[in-house]
């Protein structure tokens, strides 16, 4: 790497971070397990959103041992609203391995920590540097954006192979005496100053050592090719209420999107099909068609998927044997079920 300001960049970044860092709950600890929890929550999720979830989660599961064997449904309920639920399943599996194989102590080296379920190169480096002070790279989108500008790297960050370039760059740049502050400084700089659009170069503590600032246009970097096209699916969602005032819920499959979460009855909309009649056949129920009441229409975006939802409240005249993975629940019982955000939105409207 042909960069002449390594020492100055390190010093300026670390000093800025130590003076200007945000007061975040996971920065008040060096406990590896708790830092691991925060890093998993922060994947794909905004800091402001994570803070209350992190505080509640650590209060309920303060140690690796307390999380390792907690019931999955309880765990999903604690995570409800954060999305990307495979994160918490993998976290629990990894933490259970720490308890069973490593006596409850999170490994302090990249080889062993990388064997844990759900711990990729970034999470491994974040835990090792922040909790243990090890000079290990922790490269995420923020870091790639900052260093693409500082070092004027025009490789496409959407390509997996490009990450290796940035991991090597961090390995060469990192402050061995202040690895924690260096890595967190890069992340903080990307979050607050070196933002995706309109970077605040005049406030940047490393502006004097930024190649793109002196040679070109920092906002033109990083180079990132277009993401996959979003798939759109239209659903009719039925909130079916039986004569006892209970509601029919269905548990999603054990694998895939929103695995094991509970939802109201979702039917993919087909142009030539009456979805209400399909519900009756598929879920062994007779519905009062005239009772159908529109609740809410909205869209919900996943990473490469968009649901377009029309939701309806409808009364059941007759209910028979429940199909597999379905059950009727009272309002009080539903409050304890883990549900995806679109279902919470509908349920909130019904209870408003």
């Amino acid at each position: 790497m042909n960069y002449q300001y390594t020492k100055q960049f390190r010093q300026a970044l670390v000093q800025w971070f130590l003076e200007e860092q945000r007061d975040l709950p996971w920065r008040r600890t060096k406990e590896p397990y708790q830092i691991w929890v925060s890093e998993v929550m922060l994947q794909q999720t905004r800091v402001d959103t994570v803070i209350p979830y992190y505080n509640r989660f650590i209060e309920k599961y303060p140690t690796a041992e307390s999380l390792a064997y907690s019931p999955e449904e309880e765990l999903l309920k604690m995570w409800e609203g954060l999305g990307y639920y495979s994160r918490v399943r993998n976290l629990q599996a990894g933490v259970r391995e720490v308890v069973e194989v490593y006596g409850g102590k999170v490994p302090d080296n990249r080889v062993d920590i990388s064997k844990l379920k759900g711990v990729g190169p970034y999470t491994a480096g974040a835990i090792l540097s922040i909790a243990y002070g090890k000079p290990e790279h922790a490269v995420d989108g923020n870091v790639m954006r900052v260093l693409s500008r500082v070092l004027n790297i025009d490789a496409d960050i959407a390509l997996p192979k490009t990450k290796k370039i940035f991991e090597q760059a961090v390995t060469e740049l990192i402050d061995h005496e202040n690895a924690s502050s260096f890595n967190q400084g890069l992340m903080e700089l990307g979050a607050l100053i070196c933002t995706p659009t309109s970077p605040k170069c005049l406030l940047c503590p490393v502006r004097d050592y930024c190649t793109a600032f002196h040679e070109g246009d920092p906002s033109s970097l990083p180079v990132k090719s277009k993401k996959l096209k979003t798939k759109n699916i239209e659903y009719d969602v039925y909130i079916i209420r039986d004569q006892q005032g209970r509601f029919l819920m269905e548990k999603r499959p054990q694998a895939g999107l929103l695995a094991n979460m509970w939802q109201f009855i979702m039917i993919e909309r087909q142009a030539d099909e009456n979805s209400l009649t399909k519900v009756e056949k598929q879920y062994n129920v007779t519905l009062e068609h005239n009772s159908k009441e529109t609740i809410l229409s909205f869209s919900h975006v996943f990473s490469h998927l968009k649901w377009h939802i029309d939701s309806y409240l409808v009364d059941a005249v007759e209910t028979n044997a429940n199909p597999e993975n379905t059950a009727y629940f009272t309002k009080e019982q539903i409050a304890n079920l883990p549900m995806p955000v679109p279902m919470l939105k509908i349920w909130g409207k019904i209870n408003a």
Side-chain angles (χ1 to χ4, degrees):
M1 183 178 71
N2 184 23
Y3 180 64
Q4 59 183 329
Y5 300 115
T6 298
K7 189 175 178 183
Q8 296 95 318
F9 175 80
R10 272 182 199 154
Q11 288 176 341
L13 180 67
V14 168
Q15 184 178 347
W16 171 79
F17 177 73
L18 292 174
E19 291 173 359
E20 302 292 339
Q21 63 176 299
R22 288 170 291 178
D23 179 22
L24 302 173
W26 46 88
R27 287 186 177 155
R28 300 172 202 153
T29 181
K30 289 291 182 186
E31 164 55 49
Y33 158 73
Q34 296 187 5
I35 289 165
W36 184 2
V37 169
S38 74
E39 289 299 337
V40 172
M41 285 188 169
L42 287 163
Q43 292 165 17
Q44 311 278 355
T45 310
R46 289 166 51 87
V47 166
D48 291 348
T49 303
V50 167
I51 290 171
Y53 279 92
Y54 173 83
N55 287 333
R56 283 197 300 270
F57 199 90
I58 293 301
E59 188 177 343
K60 190 165 186 68
Y61 310 117
T63 62
E65 289 79 4
S66 60
L67 175 63
Y69 302 104
S70 62
E72 187 187 68
E73 198 149 285
E74 174 188 285
L75 200 56
L76 290 174
K77 188 68 183 171
M78 289 294 293
W79 203 268
E80 184 182 77
L82 272 179
Y84 301 93
Y85 293 91
S86 59
R87 292 183 297 175
V88 72
R89 291 191 191 89
N90 289 339
L91 173 64
Q92 185 180 39
V95 166
R96 191 178 298 136
E97 199 175 339
V98 165
V99 171
E100 293 174 356
V101 178
Y102 299 99
K105 184 179 187 298
V106 178
D108 64 357
N109 64 86
R110 191 175 282 274
V111 172
D112 288 332
I113 202 171
S114 298
K115 293 175 186 171
L116 300 174
K117 180 86 170 175
V119 176
Y122 167 77
T123 305
I127 297 168
L128 292 173
S129 60
I130 297 169
Y132 292 118
K134 299 286 181 82
E136 294 279 355
H137 60 73
V139 173
D140 66 355
N142 270 342
V143 171
M144 287 196 284
R145 182 172 62 255
V146 170
L147 291 185
S148 70
R149 292 166 177 171
V150 170
L151 304 175
N152 211 14
I153 296 171
D154 61 2
D156 183 358
I157 67 167
L159 303 177
K161 64 179 182 182
T162 303
K163 203 164 194 181
K164 295 284 183 198
I165 297 171
F166 290 97
E167 287 173 350
Q168 182 58 37
V170 172
T171 300
E172 293 182 34
L173 284 173
I174 197 166
D175 187 333
H176 284 236
E177 303 302 315
N178 296 285
S180 172
S181 295
F182 181 89
N183 275 347
Q184 289 188 87
L186 281 179
M187 299 169 199
E188 193 82 335
L189 195 67
L192 302 180
I193 305 289
C194 200
T195 48
T197 55
S198 306
K200 304 176 183 70
C201 296
L202 296 180
L203 300 176
C204 181
V206 295
R207 181 188 64 204
D208 290 348
Y209 317 114
C210 178
T211 312
F213 178 75
H214 291 293
E215 292 186 8
D217 176 14
S219 59
S220 67
L221 293 169
V223 173
K224 188 177 184 181
S225 55
K226 289 277 190 287
K227 288 202 294 189
L228 295 173
K229 193 175 178 185
T230 300
K231 182 182 179 185
N232 291 275
I233 307 178
E234 296 184 342
Y235 284 107
D236 288 331
V237 175
Y238 291 101
I239 301 88
I240 298 170
R241 180 173 54 197
D242 73 3
Q243 292 175 316
Q244 295 162 255
R246 300 174 306 170
F247 298 86
L248 182 60
M249 305 286 291
E250 180 171 26
K251 196 173 193 180
R252 291 181 66 87
Q254 290 185 354
L257 181 69
L258 305 173
N260 285 339
M261 304 288 279
W262 287 90
Q263 63 186 25
F264 299 109
I265 304 308
M266 289 182 69
I267 301 292
E268 189 172 345
R269 205 174 302 142
Q270 306 290 346
D272 57 349
E273 190 174 59
N274 183 329
S275 60
L276 209 52
T277 304
K278 186 174 181 180
V279 168
E280 291 183 309
K281 289 178 184 172
Q282 203 168 313
Y283 293 90
N284 214 9
V285 61
T286 305
L287 300 173
E288 177 56 69
H289 288 227
N290 291 335
S291 73
K292 180 177 163 183
E293 176 190 340
T294 300
I295 300 298
L296 203 58
S297 295
F298 62 96
S299 296
H300 185 79
V301 181
F302 298 95
S303 48
H304 298 304
L305 182 65
K306 191 173 189 179
W307 285 356
H308 302 274
I309 290 173
D310 290 337
S311 60
Y312 308 94
L313 179 63
V314 62
D315 290 323
V317 179
E318 186 182 343
T319 59
N320 300 294
N322 297 332
E324 193 179 2
N325 293 326
T326 66
Y328 285 89
F329 294 100
T330 64
K331 282 190 172 185
E332 292 73 25
Q333 290 170 324
I334 289 174
N336 294 316
L337 295 178
M339 294 195 289
V341 167
M343 300 302 125
L344 292 171
K345 197 168 185 175
I346 295 167
W347 188 236
K349 181 72 172 176
I350 287 173
N351 287 302

